[in-house]
Amino acid sequence: MFNLKETKMPDFNEISSKMHEKAGYKDPLAFGIARVLKNMKGESIKVDFAVVNYKNSFASAAVILHALEKNGAKLDFNSPEAVYELHGGVLNDALEPFSSLFNELDKHANVKALKCAKNAAKVDYTLDYSHSFEAVFLYDDAKPASVESVYLKLYLLSKNFVKPREICLDGAFGILPNLAWDESGEPYELEWLREHEIELKMEGKYPNIAFIDKFPRMLSHIIPSDNATRVLDSAKVRLGAHLAPGTVVMPGASYINFNAGTLGSVMVEGRISSSVRVGAGSDVGGGASILGVLSGTNGNPISVGEKCLLGANSTTGVPLGDGCIVDAGLAILEGTKVFISADNRKKLAQINKDFSFDKEIYKARELSGLNGLHFRQDSRSGQITAALSTRAIKLNESLH
């Protein structure tokens, strides 16, 4: 009689250890598990990440990569990014080592996402659209080369793993397709809508298109991690915007672009353009505009410090330090000539000790990043002036 011993399957820690011993193996900078919408050509047009990981969950990454390799995928750790389809065989092999965790899935987001992907049927979206499940890995922060990697980086921003300007999105605009988005956040290719307009309308299935853009709205993908953040109009925040806890985005003239946003509780009633960072306790007044790298700053990204006030309908085209004020309706651009009196130069020098206030007239870009500046316009002469700000900027605590 043979003594048959039960074969013990390796658990996720064992598999992770073996993968890390492989020559050339590399932990990802970030990775995520996603459901991807494909067009009839098999091209990705929208990516919904169920889970995003940044500089962590390396064991889960190793198990997924092991399952991919077991099912014939050629792993590449030398490229900045890698995208793999999670078909049934891969999902089975990725889940098996985690079987001991199935009773506590809420504590293990990656395992839960894999299990949900396995349970979800791959169904057609419409006549020419389908979904697939994918694992997306970033190994280096290089220019994105795929729709999937662009979305992963946008998620990293909107989930507050990285701040604006901390991750490379060069070329992202050219990678994403321009799409029509309906009220529920689902995209349609423009040409597809044109081709199927007659049958869709005759069948009463023509979608209610809300906007046309390359970027979806943040709230269609991500809910802020805190209960203090408020966004009163989803159209005002693109995916890839960074909203620190306590940020309030009012309706009307407010707007936050991708790769831009707030670093603390901020009242936003104006426009925060791409690459702009706004510090905690600041107030971007109604209709105020902070110029982005593509809108008049000669490629120089702008930061607004903490406890600043940008008055209604003002324009800011230079970086501001902490405690600055730009009066309502005033435009402070790089070439704006600013007068500072001798008395105010002396006062400002006390809080900006590394700057030499040695003249009366400055171009605004020369004052970039200085603290405590209050920009005004003389109502009689029209001259733009800067003085030491004596006003304490305090947000309404009941609104944050």
Side-chain angles (χ1 to χ4, degrees):
M1 179 180 291
F2 293 100
N3 182 18
L4 296 177
K5 294 183 178 180
E6 183 178 351
T7 303
K8 179 181 178 294
M9 296 299 298
D11 68 10
F12 62 93
N13 287 315
E14 293 176 72
I15 291 177
S16 176
S17 295
K18 289 181 180 179
M19 288 297 290
H20 280 86
E21 292 171 359
K22 289 174 65 73
Y25 186 84
K26 187 176 180 180
D27 283 324
L29 174 69
F31 75 97
I33 300 168
R35 182 181 175 97
V36 182
L37 180 63
K38 305 277 188 176
N39 64 12
M40 62 184 299
K41 298 177 183 178
E43 299 166 335
S44 302
I45 62 173
K46 178 199 175 190
V47 186
D48 287 293
F49 280 98
V51 182
V52 169
N53 308 271
Y54 183 66
K55 294 182 178 180
N56 64 3
S57 300
F58 297 132
S60 294
V63 171
I64 294 170
L65 288 164
H66 174 265
L68 285 161
E69 187 174 51
K70 184 178 178 180
N71 283 267
K74 293 183 178 180
L75 305 184
D76 184 0
F77 303 109
N78 296 317
S79 295
E81 65 182 69
V83 180
Y84 304 101
E85 184 177 353
L86 298 174
H87 56 71
V90 174
L91 290 169
N92 285 333
D93 289 332
L95 280 166
E96 193 169 50
F98 292 113
S99 58
S100 62
L101 306 179
F102 287 175
N103 292 328
E104 49 180 14
L105 286 179
D106 288 339
K107 297 179 182 179
H108 306 281
N110 287 296
V111 181
K112 185 175 183 179
L114 291 169
K115 198 165 182 61
C116 288
K118 180 182 176 181
N119 294 336
K122 183 178 177 181
V123 297
D124 285 342
Y125 172 69
T126 55
L127 181 61
D128 298 320
Y129 293 77
S130 64
H131 286 102
S132 66
F133 299 103
E134 296 179 358
V136 184
F137 296 85
L138 299 180
Y139 291 102
D140 294 298
D141 184 24
K143 292 173 61 174
S146 65
V147 170
E148 285 88 345
S149 64
V150 172
Y151 266 80
L152 181 51
K153 291 190 172 189
L154 296 177
Y155 266 72
L156 291 175
L157 282 158
S158 288
K159 281 185 169 289
N160 295 351
F161 286 115
V162 298
K163 295 174 181 151
R165 307 200 303 258
E166 286 186 347
I167 199 162
C168 180
L169 279 163
D170 295 350
F173 201 83
I175 292 173
L176 297 181
N178 197 27
L179 301 167
W181 301 83
D182 68 17
E183 291 288 354
S184 66
E186 290 299 327
Y188 296 81
E189 291 183 298
L190 302 178
E191 194 59 40
W192 188 91
L193 283 176
R194 297 185 188 106
E195 291 176 0
H196 296 86
E197 179 179 4
I198 294 175
E199 54 263 46
L200 287 170
K201 288 182 175 178
M202 292 300 97
E203 294 172 8
K205 296 179 180 179
Y206 196 83
N208 184 14
I209 300 300
F211 64 102
I212 296 175
D213 194 10
K214 293 184 173 232
F215 292 77
R217 295 172 179 174
M218 189 191 89
L219 293 185
S220 294
H221 287 258
I222 293 171
I223 295 298
S225 60
D226 68 294
N227 292 334
T229 298
R230 295 191 293 134
V231 179
L232 279 68
D233 184 346
S234 65
K236 302 302 181 180
V237 185
R238 259 177 166 177
L239 181 63
H242 181 283
L243 273 59
T247 297
V248 175
V249 185
M250 300 295 285
S254 62
Y255 180 69
I256 303 180
N257 208 340
F258 76 98
N259 200 23
T262 61
L263 306 183
S265 295
V266 173
M267 174 61 73
V268 182
E269 297 182 89
R271 290 177 289 278
I272 301 177
S273 301
S274 187
S275 297
V276 170
R277 299 166 67 161
V278 181
S282 291
D283 189 335
V284 183
S289 292
I290 309 172
L291 301 186
V293 292
L294 301 178
S295 55
T297 67
N298 293 318
N300 301 316
I302 293 180
S303 293
V304 174
E306 297 184 356
K307 297 183 178 179
C308 292
L309 172 62
L310 306 183
N313 298 317
S314 64
T315 301
T316 302
V318 295
L320 302 177
D322 297 335
C324 292
I325 298 175
V326 179
D327 274 2
L330 198 59
I332 302 299
L333 307 176
E334 288 189 346
T336 301
K337 301 292 181 63
V338 182
F339 170 80
I340 307 179
S341 68
D343 181 51
N344 275 294
R345 294 200 301 274
K346 183 177 180 180
K347 293 176 180 177
L348 287 166
Q350 294 177 1
I351 62 172
N352 296 282
K353 298 186 182 300
D354 294 332
F355 186 82
S356 177
F357 289 91
D358 55 3
K359 56 185 179 180
E360 288 187 339
I361 304 293
Y362 299 82
K363 288 186 177 181
R365 65 170 171 267
E366 297 178 89
L367 306 174
S368 295
L370 297 185
N371 299 319
L373 294 171
H374 185 167
F375 292 97
R376 294 171 166 151
Q377 185 170 33
D378 189 302
S379 60
R380 292 174 297 179
S381 67
Q383 187 174 53
I384 305 298
T385 68
L388 176 67
S389 174
T390 58
R391 178 179 173 185
I393 306 303
K394 294 183 179 180
L395 298 179
N396 187 332
E397 292 184 4
S398 64
L399 298 178
H400 291 264

